[in-house]
Amino acid sequence: MASVIESNLTIDGNLTCQGDLIINGRVHGDVIAQNLTVSELGSLQGNIHAGKVESNGTIAGTITAKEVALGGTSSTHATIKAEKSPFIKAQIGRAHV
């Protein structure tokens, strides 16, 4: 089961999640998670360390992950550092990489 930050919640500070994390709200701080999803309503300003990052929302910072997928509504202003077996997928027509 994933931990969820709902759209009515803003967190100022770093987060560590042992499992999956879904951000529907706002996070201002670094995030460590097994898998991270930033929904279309979500935003994250900070550094990310995760196995997999999926985003349709807004990310600003550095992404360090094995797999990164940026959807069509993603607004991403980040340095992306792929670790082992890099796989970065983005819809470049609408995503800002």
Side-chain angles (χ1 to χ4, degrees):
M1 176 179 252
S3 297
V4 180
I5 297 170
E6 293 296 348
S7 60
N8 62 345
L9 184 60
T10 298
I11 295 179
D12 290 312
N14 299 333
L15 296 173
T16 300
C17 182
Q18 298 297 323
D20 298 345
L21 178 62
I22 300 171
I23 298 175
N24 296 325
R26 294 183 179 146
V27 174
H28 302 272
D30 297 343
V31 173
I32 299 171
Q34 185 174 351
N35 296 302
L36 174 67
T37 301
V38 180
S39 76
E40 192 171 327
L41 300 173
S43 67
L44 189 152
Q45 185 175 8
N47 299 317
I48 300 167
H49 291 272
K52 182 177 180 180
V53 175
E54 293 184 44
S55 179
N56 281 303
T58 302
I59 296 176
T62 299
I63 300 170
T64 303
K66 292 180 183 177
E67 182 178 337
V68 177
L70 305 175
T73 59
S74 177
S75 175
T76 302
H77 304 277
T79 299
I80 298 174
K81 298 178 182 179
E83 292 179 345
K84 301 175 191 170
S85 304
F87 176 73
I88 300 171
K89 178 175 70 173
Q91 295 180 358
I92 300 299
R94 296 171 67 190
H96 304 285
V97 180

